[in-house]
Amino acid sequence: MKKIFAVVLALVLALTLVACGGGAATETEAEGAKQVGVCIYQFNDNFMTLYRQELESYMSGLGDYEITIVDGKNDMAEQTNQVDTFIAQGVDVLIVNLVQSSSAATITERAQAADIPVVYINREPSSEDMAAWDKICYVGADARQSGTFQGEIVAELPDQGDADGDGVVRYVMIMGDPENVDAQYRTEYSIKALTDAGIEVECLFEQRGDWDQTKGQELAATALSQFDNIDVIFCNNDAMALGAYQAIVAAGKVDADGKLDGIYLLGVDALDECVEMVANGQMTGTVLNDHVGQSHVAVDCAIRYMNGETNETLNVVDYQKVTV
Ligand code: GAL
């Protein structure tokens, strides 16, 4: 009931602003600053932290934009309230990293009612949801590509990932939040790249670590204590790979220099510390998830909307393999 009231209130406020030409909006226009509302699914996420910092600094350098960035705290109800608040404030555009991709329709409906365009980032809504309105677009990367690159890095190793030489690549999969296509596709396509290369595989362990370093560490520790024949640990992102590396060290599967010994470890994102670990032999490889490219494209799309222009529905930035 409280929620319905809040929604109605937000809509009434938004419509009032539209109908009256908007006192607040007019003042902002007079000052020349356009208002940009940015919703991040969770501030406590290594990759999205780099992303939002780059987004803010790039956009601030392009003109007089009033950018407000809010933390959804991984709670969809909280994020919906934040969107309602932005709408009530009469922002000129929204940039939204959804907590739940499946909630895109709800967010689009609210934004459309107030005629505020939305740039969705990082968590891709379904194609059906993206077809709902011509003032929404998505900026991200094709997660299939990152999974394929992880698998190819392994397939390109001299032993094709078969660290113990028994003819089968036995792996552990530490997944991100499975509601997220990034987690689904990376899990599927990393293994597909191996089987496409004719490599025999066996999944020993697959669990969700929700993109989180501590969970990555705990899951890898559990897997390492249950199985002594793991060839490869695939993590859907680098934060979880950082945790998995700690577990690998604790399990003694490193040499005196901390290099991986008899096991391979893969991540995605190319966080600075992971790129360094790859160079030091502490990780086998990672995949650059280009937060700079993605945040710039997202800002460019937002600015085009504020200028009354249109955007392509899907705007995809490439991943890159990192192996040295
Ligand atoms: C992925 C990224 C993860 C995490 C996730 C959040 O693209 O690889 O590290 O940030 O987005 O949705």
Side-chain angles (χ1 to χ4, degrees):
M1 193 59 208
K2 219 168 125 194
K3 220 161 132 192
I4 296 173
F5 177 72
V7 171
V8 170
L9 185 70
L11 285 176
V12 167
L13 274 170
L15 289 174
T16 314
L17 284 175
V18 172
C20 312
T26 312
E27 267 165 41
T28 312
E29 273 156 29
E31 288 160 14
K34 297 265 191 204
Q35 290 188 61
V36 183
V38 184
C39 296
I40 299 295
Y41 95 96
Q42 167 161 254
F43 279 6
N44 183 20
D45 176 299
N46 313 40
F47 173 74
M48 286 313 301
T49 299
L50 298 172
Y51 193 124
R52 82 181 134 91
Q53 288 166 346
E54 181 61 31
L55 185 148
E56 187 167 26
S57 80
Y58 174 67
M59 193 166 211
S60 312
L62 291 181
D64 189 11
Y65 297 107
E66 201 180 304
I67 308 157
T68 310
I69 309 185
V70 292
D71 180 2
K73 303 191 181 120
N74 207 21
D75 177 344
M76 194 60 229
E78 166 107 21
Q79 186 171 64
T80 306
N81 284 335
Q82 293 171 336
V83 167
D84 287 339
T85 305
F86 277 141
I87 291 174
Q89 286 166 354
V91 296
D92 296 285
V93 70
L94 284 163
I95 299 179
V96 181
N97 168 211
L98 289 163
V99 170
Q100 271 172 16
S101 321
S102 55
S103 295
T106 318
I107 301 301
T108 300
E109 230 170 74
R110 289 166 145 77
Q112 186 173 9
D115 197 28
I116 298 172
V118 186
V119 179
Y120 288 109
I121 57 168
N122 175 255
R123 294 187 161 185
E124 188 173 352
S126 69
S127 45
E128 197 190 335
D129 285 343
M130 288 313 299
W133 189 32
D134 60 1
K135 289 189 190 169
I136 58 172
C137 69
Y138 173 71
V139 178
D142 178 357
R144 281 171 284 232
Q145 189 187 40
S146 53
T148 302
F149 283 173
Q150 281 191 310
E152 284 178 2
I153 291 171
V154 173
E156 284 156 12
L157 292 167
D159 62 5
Q160 296 195 301
D162 185 10
D164 58 12
D166 69 354
V168 181
V169 172
R170 297 178 215 276
Y171 67 90
V172 165
M173 183 66 68
I174 301 183
M175 294 183 70
D177 176 351
E179 203 260 349
N180 193 190
V181 290
D182 285 8
Q184 294 161 17
Y185 283 149
R186 288 175 191 166
T187 298
E188 182 185 343
Y189 281 76
S190 52
I191 303 310
K192 185 173 180 302
L194 293 181
T195 52
D196 283 354
I199 298 168
E200 197 182 326
V201 297
E202 186 194 349
C203 178
L204 296 174
F205 180 100
E206 180 176 299
Q207 280 196 42
R208 60 184 288 180
D210 296 325
W211 309 118
D212 180 73
Q213 178 169 344
T214 307
K215 288 188 188 167
Q217 187 264 323
E218 288 164 1
L219 291 174
T222 305
L224 284 158
S225 71
Q226 280 175 11
F227 304 98
D228 60 5
N229 56 349
I230 302 168
D231 295 299
V232 185
I233 299 186
F234 285 102
C235 298
N236 283 171
N237 77 341
D238 276 353
M240 296 188 296
L242 283 171
Y245 179 73
Q246 294 172 296
I248 289 172
V249 172
K253 289 193 164 289
V254 291
D255 69 11
D257 298 327
K259 288 189 206 302
L260 298 173
D261 191 10
I263 195 161
Y264 296 111
L265 174 64
L266 283 297
V268 174
D269 281 340
L271 300 179
D272 285 348
E273 54 265 61
C274 292
V275 172
E276 208 172 298
M277 285 169 69
V278 172
N280 294 337
Q282 296 164 311
M283 272 179 71
T284 311
T286 182
V287 179
L288 171 71
N289 192 2
D290 182 3
H291 69 273
V292 175
Q294 291 174 56
S295 58
H296 291 198
V297 174
V299 166
D300 294 344
C301 286
I303 292 176
R304 271 198 292 275
Y305 278 143
M306 290 192 286
N307 292 339
E309 296 162 36
T310 56
N311 287 302
E312 294 289 331
T313 306
L314 291 182
N315 303 272
V316 177
V317 175
D318 271 333
Y319 285 102
Q320 283 171 40
K321 287 181 198 172
V322 180
T323 52
V324 277

